[in-house]
mmCIF file of all heavy atoms in Angstrom:
data_model
loop_
_atom_site.group_PDB
_atom_site.id
_atom_site.type_symbol
_atom_site.label_atom_id
_atom_site.label_comp_id
_atom_site.label_asym_id
_atom_site.label_seq_id
_atom_site.Cartn_x
_atom_site.Cartn_y
_atom_site.Cartn_z
ATOM 1 N N HIS A 1031 -17.939 -13.005 -23.834
ATOM 2 C CA HIS A 1031 -18.354 -12.599 -22.504
ATOM 3 C C HIS A 1031 -17.638 -13.449 -21.450
ATOM 4 O O HIS A 1031 -17.792 -14.660 -21.430
ATOM 5 C CB HIS A 1031 -19.844 -12.657 -22.414
ATOM 6 C CG HIS A 1031 -20.408 -12.475 -21.034
ATOM 7 N ND1 HIS A 1031 -19.861 -11.582 -20.113
ATOM 8 C CD2 HIS A 1031 -21.463 -12.991 -20.422
ATOM 9 C CE1 HIS A 1031 -20.585 -11.630 -19.042
ATOM 10 N NE2 HIS A 1031 -21.570 -12.473 -19.172
ATOM 11 N N TYR A 1039 -14.719 -8.037 -10.080
ATOM 12 C CA TYR A 1039 -14.742 -6.871 -10.981
ATOM 13 C C TYR A 1039 -14.607 -5.599 -10.166
ATOM 14 O O TYR A 1039 -13.906 -4.650 -10.583
ATOM 15 C CB TYR A 1039 -16.032 -6.842 -11.783
ATOM 16 C CG TYR A 1039 -16.023 -5.840 -12.895
ATOM 17 C CD1 TYR A 1039 -15.117 -5.975 -13.970
ATOM 18 C CD2 TYR A 1039 -16.812 -4.719 -12.851
ATOM 19 C CE1 TYR A 1039 -15.064 -5.037 -14.977
ATOM 20 C CE2 TYR A 1039 -16.757 -3.776 -13.868
ATOM 21 C CZ TYR A 1039 -15.910 -3.947 -14.928
ATOM 22 O OH TYR A 1039 -15.840 -2.983 -15.928
ATOM 23 N N CYS A 1052 -2.120 6.687 -7.670
ATOM 24 C CA CYS A 1052 -0.695 6.560 -7.381
ATOM 25 C C CYS A 1052 0.165 7.132 -8.470
ATOM 26 O O CYS A 1052 1.161 7.786 -8.228
ATOM 27 C CB CYS A 1052 -0.320 5.093 -7.150
ATOM 28 S SG CYS A 1052 -0.923 4.440 -5.603
ATOM 29 N N CYS A 1054 -0.547 9.617 -10.446
ATOM 30 C CA CYS A 1054 -0.589 11.066 -10.358
ATOM 31 C C CYS A 1054 0.291 11.551 -9.218
ATOM 32 O O CYS A 1054 1.089 12.458 -9.392
ATOM 33 C CB CYS A 1054 -2.025 11.505 -10.145
ATOM 34 S SG CYS A 1054 -2.274 13.266 -10.261
ATOM 35 N N VAL A 1056 2.825 9.937 -7.556
ATOM 36 C CA VAL A 1056 4.247 9.597 -7.707
ATOM 37 C C VAL A 1056 4.904 10.460 -8.797
ATOM 38 O O VAL A 1056 6.018 10.957 -8.588
ATOM 39 C CB VAL A 1056 4.385 8.067 -8.028
ATOM 40 C CG1 VAL A 1056 5.802 7.769 -8.480
ATOM 41 C CG2 VAL A 1056 4.029 7.279 -6.822
ATOM 42 N N TRP A 1062 7.659 15.481 -12.582
ATOM 43 C CA TRP A 1062 7.162 15.558 -13.960
ATOM 44 C C TRP A 1062 6.473 16.878 -14.149
ATOM 45 O O TRP A 1062 5.867 17.440 -13.237
ATOM 46 C CB TRP A 1062 6.196 14.433 -14.250
ATOM 47 C CG TRP A 1062 6.803 13.135 -14.677
ATOM 48 C CD1 TRP A 1062 8.112 12.732 -14.535
ATOM 49 C CD2 TRP A 1062 6.151 12.036 -15.284
ATOM 50 N NE1 TRP A 1062 8.280 11.462 -15.013
ATOM 51 C CE2 TRP A 1062 7.060 11.019 -15.493
ATOM 52 C CE3 TRP A 1062 4.816 11.818 -15.661
ATOM 53 C CZ2 TRP A 1062 6.759 9.808 -16.092
ATOM 54 C CZ3 TRP A 1062 4.490 10.619 -16.270
ATOM 55 C CH2 TRP A 1062 5.445 9.622 -16.470
ATOM 56 N N LYS A 1064 3.737 19.528 -14.953
ATOM 57 C CA LYS A 1064 2.291 19.491 -14.661
ATOM 58 C C LYS A 1064 1.500 19.113 -15.910
ATOM 59 O O LYS A 1064 0.530 18.327 -15.847
ATOM 60 C CB LYS A 1064 1.863 20.838 -14.129
ATOM 61 C CG LYS A 1064 0.480 20.882 -13.593
ATOM 62 C CD LYS A 1064 0.193 22.233 -12.981
ATOM 63 C CE LYS A 1064 -1.190 22.300 -12.372
ATOM 64 N NZ LYS A 1064 -1.446 23.633 -11.775
ATOM 65 N N SER A 1088 -21.900 1.018 -26.057
ATOM 66 C CA SER A 1088 -21.161 1.558 -27.168
ATOM 67 C C SER A 1088 -20.938 3.086 -27.033
ATOM 68 O O SER A 1088 -19.877 3.570 -27.298
ATOM 69 C CB SER A 1088 -21.867 1.276 -28.488
ATOM 70 O OG SER A 1088 -21.877 -0.106 -28.715
ATOM 71 N N ILE A 1093 -16.339 8.700 -24.641
ATOM 72 C CA ILE A 1093 -15.493 9.350 -23.649
ATOM 73 C C ILE A 1093 -14.073 9.333 -24.090
ATOM 74 O O ILE A 1093 -13.287 10.245 -23.804
ATOM 75 C CB ILE A 1093 -15.643 8.686 -22.264
ATOM 76 C CG1 ILE A 1093 -17.079 8.935 -21.723
ATOM 77 C CG2 ILE A 1093 -14.617 9.150 -21.293
ATOM 78 C CD1 ILE A 1093 -17.412 8.127 -20.476
ATOM 79 N N ALA A 1097 -9.685 12.397 -25.710
ATOM 80 C CA ALA A 1097 -8.316 12.026 -25.375
ATOM 81 C C ALA A 1097 -7.562 11.504 -26.600
ATOM 82 O O ALA A 1097 -6.385 11.836 -26.791
ATOM 83 C CB ALA A 1097 -8.306 10.993 -24.283
ATOM 84 N N LEU A 1100 -6.684 14.504 -28.789
ATOM 85 C CA LEU A 1100 -5.551 15.209 -28.174
ATOM 86 C C LEU A 1100 -4.236 14.461 -28.482
ATOM 87 O O LEU A 1100 -3.263 15.068 -28.895
ATOM 88 C CB LEU A 1100 -5.749 15.356 -26.687
ATOM 89 C CG LEU A 1100 -4.617 15.999 -25.928
ATOM 90 C CD1 LEU A 1100 -4.494 17.484 -26.276
ATOM 91 C CD2 LEU A 1100 -4.832 15.849 -24.426
ATOM 92 N N LEU A 1102 -3.710 12.276 -30.886
ATOM 93 C CA LEU A 1102 -3.449 12.271 -32.328
ATOM 94 C C LEU A 1102 -2.789 13.556 -32.762
ATOM 95 O O LEU A 1102 -1.799 13.521 -33.528
ATOM 96 C CB LEU A 1102 -4.779 12.019 -33.040
ATOM 97 C CG LEU A 1102 -4.733 11.722 -34.524
ATOM 98 C CD1 LEU A 1102 -4.018 10.410 -34.770
ATOM 99 C CD2 LEU A 1102 -6.122 11.637 -35.103
ATOM 100 N N ASP A 1107 2.242 16.482 -34.086
ATOM 101 C CA ASP A 1107 2.773 17.820 -33.841
ATOM 102 C C ASP A 1107 4.163 17.768 -33.233
ATOM 103 O O ASP A 1107 4.949 18.704 -33.343
ATOM 104 C CB ASP A 1107 1.844 18.621 -32.957
ATOM 105 C CG ASP A 1107 2.212 20.088 -32.859
ATOM 106 O OD1 ASP A 1107 2.512 20.682 -33.916
ATOM 107 O OD2 ASP A 1107 2.268 20.609 -31.755
ATOM 108 N N ALA A 1116 1.194 5.200 -35.368
ATOM 109 C CA ALA A 1116 0.304 4.165 -35.908
ATOM 110 C C ALA A 1116 -0.688 3.692 -34.853
ATOM 111 O O ALA A 1116 -1.846 3.444 -35.167
ATOM 112 C CB ALA A 1116 1.135 2.988 -36.417
ATOM 113 N N ALA A 1121 -6.311 3.570 -33.067
ATOM 114 C CA ALA A 1121 -7.341 3.765 -32.055
ATOM 115 C C ALA A 1121 -8.407 4.740 -32.599
ATOM 116 O O ALA A 1121 -9.604 4.499 -32.451
ATOM 117 C CB ALA A 1121 -6.743 4.323 -30.752
ATOM 118 N N PHE A 1122 -7.978 5.803 -33.273
ATOM 119 C CA PHE A 1122 -8.903 6.757 -33.854
ATOM 120 C C PHE A 1122 -9.725 6.101 -34.958
ATOM 121 O O PHE A 1122 -10.946 6.284 -35.018
ATOM 122 C CB PHE A 1122 -8.143 7.975 -34.383
ATOM 123 C CG PHE A 1122 -9.022 8.958 -35.117
ATOM 124 C CD1 PHE A 1122 -9.895 9.769 -34.401
ATOM 125 C CD2 PHE A 1122 -8.999 9.053 -36.504
ATOM 126 C CE1 PHE A 1122 -10.729 10.661 -35.079
ATOM 127 C CE2 PHE A 1122 -9.813 9.944 -37.158
ATOM 128 C CZ PHE A 1122 -10.641 10.758 -36.465
ATOM 129 N N ALA A 1123 -9.077 5.384 -35.840
ATOM 130 C CA ALA A 1123 -9.764 4.730 -36.945
ATOM 131 C C ALA A 1123 -10.822 3.723 -36.434
ATOM 132 O O ALA A 1123 -11.923 3.637 -36.996
ATOM 133 C CB ALA A 1123 -8.764 4.037 -37.867
ATOM 134 N N LEU A 1126 -13.765 5.600 -35.251
ATOM 135 C CA LEU A 1126 -14.522 6.080 -36.428
ATOM 136 C C LEU A 1126 -15.323 4.955 -37.082
ATOM 137 O O LEU A 1126 -16.484 5.127 -37.455
ATOM 138 C CB LEU A 1126 -13.544 6.700 -37.428
ATOM 139 C CG LEU A 1126 -14.093 7.600 -38.511
ATOM 140 C CD1 LEU A 1126 -14.832 8.762 -37.916
ATOM 141 C CD2 LEU A 1126 -12.974 8.096 -39.394
ATOM 142 N N HIS A 1137 -28.252 -2.336 -36.429
ATOM 143 C CA HIS A 1137 -28.695 -3.680 -36.048
ATOM 144 C C HIS A 1137 -27.643 -4.745 -36.310
ATOM 145 O O HIS A 1137 -27.856 -5.922 -35.977
ATOM 146 C CB HIS A 1137 -30.009 -4.038 -36.716
ATOM 147 C CG HIS A 1137 -31.093 -3.072 -36.394
ATOM 148 N ND1 HIS A 1137 -31.633 -2.983 -35.137
ATOM 149 C CD2 HIS A 1137 -31.723 -2.124 -37.162
ATOM 150 C CE1 HIS A 1137 -32.515 -2.029 -35.093
ATOM 151 N NE2 HIS A 1137 -32.608 -1.489 -36.309
ATOM 152 N N PHE A 1141 -20.034 -10.146 -33.210
ATOM 153 C CA PHE A 1141 -19.025 -10.014 -32.192
ATOM 154 C C PHE A 1141 -17.873 -9.155 -32.637
ATOM 155 O O PHE A 1141 -17.445 -8.241 -31.934
ATOM 156 C CB PHE A 1141 -18.496 -11.379 -31.750
ATOM 157 C CG PHE A 1141 -17.376 -11.285 -30.740
ATOM 158 C CD1 PHE A 1141 -17.648 -10.944 -29.451
ATOM 159 C CD2 PHE A 1141 -16.077 -11.500 -31.126
ATOM 160 C CE1 PHE A 1141 -16.624 -10.852 -28.496
ATOM 161 C CE2 PHE A 1141 -15.038 -11.409 -30.182
ATOM 162 C CZ PHE A 1141 -15.324 -11.092 -28.892
ATOM 163 N N GLY A 1151 -9.862 0.968 -27.166
ATOM 164 C CA GLY A 1151 -9.409 1.387 -25.837
ATOM 165 C C GLY A 1151 -8.097 0.714 -25.444
ATOM 166 O O GLY A 1151 -7.212 1.364 -24.848
ATOM 167 N N PHE A 1154 -5.273 2.295 -27.424
ATOM 168 C CA PHE A 1154 -4.976 3.628 -26.902
ATOM 169 C C PHE A 1154 -4.258 3.516 -25.545
ATOM 170 O O PHE A 1154 -3.396 4.345 -25.248
ATOM 171 C CB PHE A 1154 -6.257 4.429 -26.765
ATOM 172 C CG PHE A 1154 -6.012 5.843 -26.394
ATOM 173 C CD1 PHE A 1154 -5.130 6.641 -27.116
ATOM 174 C CD2 PHE A 1154 -6.653 6.435 -25.309
ATOM 175 C CE1 PHE A 1154 -4.865 7.987 -26.761
ATOM 176 C CE2 PHE A 1154 -6.456 7.735 -24.948
ATOM 177 C CZ PHE A 1154 -5.519 8.513 -25.675
ATOM 178 N N VAL A 1156 -2.100 1.172 -24.712
ATOM 179 C CA VAL A 1156 -0.687 0.909 -25.077
ATOM 180 C C VAL A 1156 0.016 2.198 -25.506
ATOM 181 O O VAL A 1156 1.122 2.474 -25.046
ATOM 182 C CB VAL A 1156 -0.607 -0.158 -26.187
ATOM 183 C CG1 VAL A 1156 0.830 -0.304 -26.726
ATOM 184 C CG2 VAL A 1156 -1.120 -1.498 -25.675
ATOM 185 N N TRP A 1173 7.403 20.591 -22.445
ATOM 186 C CA TRP A 1173 7.043 19.454 -21.573
ATOM 187 C C TRP A 1173 7.987 19.259 -20.401
ATOM 188 O O TRP A 1173 7.609 18.720 -19.372
ATOM 189 C CB TRP A 1173 7.044 18.166 -22.389
ATOM 190 C CG TRP A 1173 5.842 18.006 -23.243
ATOM 191 C CD1 TRP A 1173 5.786 18.279 -24.584
ATOM 192 C CD2 TRP A 1173 4.531 17.650 -22.860
ATOM 193 N NE1 TRP A 1173 4.508 18.068 -25.027
ATOM 194 C CE2 TRP A 1173 3.730 17.682 -23.992
ATOM 195 C CE3 TRP A 1173 3.950 17.285 -21.650
ATOM 196 C CZ2 TRP A 1173 2.370 17.384 -23.953
ATOM 197 C CZ3 TRP A 1173 2.609 16.990 -21.612
ATOM 198 C CH2 TRP A 1173 1.834 17.012 -22.762
#
Side-chain angles (χ1 to χ4, degrees):
H1031 171 35
Y1039 191 67
C1052 287
C1054 189
V1056 168
W1062 275 16
K1064 187 176 184 179
S1088 295
I1093 292 170
L1100 176 69
L1102 191 64
D1107 190 45
F1122 175 74
L1126 197 57
H1137 300 293
F1141 176 74
F1154 187 54
V1156 171
W1173 284 101

